[in-house]
Amino acid sequence: MNPFKTRQQAIAFICVGVAVVLSCVASIAIAESFMPNNLAGRRGVVIFYRTFTPMIVVWSLLASWAYFNIPPRSCSGELASDDEGDIARDSTGCEV
């Protein structure tokens, strides 16, 4: 069962997943760069890793799942065929 009714829904979900993953990676990089080099700063960085690493893994898996469940493109309208009468098809199965 595919939870996405349209390609746009799946693409939007993938974009959200990528945005969450990138923001988590950026948060870890900022924590590494700007936390003070003392015990409290190192503990803070460890907390950032413990918090954002599972989020990175989960949202990466969700975005990958959405990518593999994108509905196929739908063919719409009258499509032209080639001059020799053979019908050309692209990778989506739509006539061109």
Side-chain angles (χ1 to χ4, degrees), residues 74-82 87-90 92-96:
S74 62
C75 300
S76 62
E78 198 67 36
L79 299 172
S81 61
D82 62 357
I87 303 221
R89 293 188 179 267
D90 63 1
T92 62
C94 297
E95 297 175 359
V96 266

Side-chain angles (χ1 to χ4, degrees), residues 13-47:
F13 193 87
I14 292 168
C15 290
V16 169
V18 169
V20 170
V21 168
L22 290 176
S23 63
C24 289
V25 170
S27 296
I28 291 173
I30 289 170
E32 283 283 348
S33 300
F34 293 110
M35 284 290 197
N37 192 14
N38 59 21
L39 181 61
R42 287 189 297 272
R43 284 186 180 173
V45 172
V46 169
I47 289 172

